[in-house]
Amino acid sequence: LSPGLAVLQLTELLRRRNLSEAAADATRRADTAMRMFHEQRRTTAALQAEVAQLRLVAGEAEQAAADSAQALKAEARANHRDLALARQEIASCTSRIQELQARVDAGEAAA
């Protein structure tokens, strides 16, 4: 084996080794990128599901708030009606008391 040929063979072996290492490194980087991509897809899908669930809960909460507001308004109207009736009853009783008091006063004056 001549020294020139030995140098060429050694150079070729080094070149092949470098190419092999570069290919292995590129494969590792590609595998890492694919794992990251798939993890990002899983994370995105999980976040989308969570957003959908939160939208559903928010919609239910908004509906419950609207229902509560409507019920409170109806109850307030009923309370106002009850209050008006109570005021009428008080006015009627006050009037009756005044009538009776006038009779009592008239009876005392006559006696």
Side-chain angles (χ1 to χ4, degrees):
L1 192 71
S2 73
L5 184 59
V7 169
L8 284 175
Q9 286 179 342
L10 183 57
T11 302
E12 180 61 21
L13 284 174
L14 289 173
R15 186 183 69 76
R16 285 183 188 171
R17 191 188 81 195
N18 287 343
L19 286 174
S20 177
E21 287 176 359
D25 188 47
T27 300
R28 282 191 299 274
R29 281 184 278 157
D31 288 345
T32 300
M34 285 303 289
R35 278 194 305 276
M36 291 174 66
F37 171 75
H38 289 298
E39 182 61 31
Q40 183 179 9
R41 283 181 60 188
R42 283 190 294 274
T43 300
T44 299
L47 289 174
Q48 287 172 338
E50 188 174 347
V51 165
Q53 181 64 30
L54 290 173
R55 284 184 177 154
L56 179 64
V57 169
E60 290 171 353
E62 287 176 8
Q63 185 60 49
D67 292 346
S68 293
Q70 189 174 6
L72 288 172
K73 286 178 184 177
E75 188 176 334
R77 284 191 298 274
N79 287 341
H80 284 295
R81 284 190 302 273
D82 291 346
L83 180 59
L85 291 173
R87 284 182 177 158
Q88 288 175 349
E89 186 67 27
I90 290 169
S92 176
C93 288
T94 301
S95 176
R96 181 73 176 139
I97 290 169
Q98 289 171 346
E99 288 175 15
L100 293 173
Q101 186 64 47
R103 284 187 185 171
V104 169
D105 291 345
E108 289 177 359

